[in-house]
Amino acid sequence: MFMQYNNNELSIEIGGPMRAIIPHKYFYKSAKWVRKLKITENDELGFWERSGYSNTAEPWKNDRYSDY
């Protein structure tokens, strides 16, 4: 199944054919281009989290940046 926007399939420029949208989190937790999926038992910091952004990223708690 391809994601759609305004009844059109997503183009590659805006993340098609599929984007990962993480609801209720700052948008850096979502992925525009999904190239692979890695499932782990333990949490691993991603690119933005290693660069100082929060790992939990809860906007209602103003949790944008990491404490460490």
Side-chain angles (χ1 to χ4, degrees), residues 7-62:
N7 295 323
N8 296 310
E9 288 185 4
L10 287 181
S11 67
I12 194 109
E13 293 84 16
I14 59 171
M18 185 177 92
R19 291 179 77 155
I21 306 296
I22 311 301
H24 310 292
K25 300 289 182 181
Y26 280 113
F27 210 60
Y28 65 86
K29 285 297 200 179
S30 298
K32 188 169 186 178
W33 293 287
V34 178
R35 297 193 179 177
K36 69 179 179 177
L37 183 63
K38 179 180 178 182
I39 299 174
T40 64
E41 289 187 28
N42 300 310
D43 192 16
E44 295 181 13
L45 298 179
F47 174 82
W48 292 109
E49 294 78 16
R50 290 190 308 268
S51 299
Y53 285 85
S54 169
N55 194 35
T56 53
E58 296 186 35
W60 297 111
K61 295 181 180 178
N62 199 24

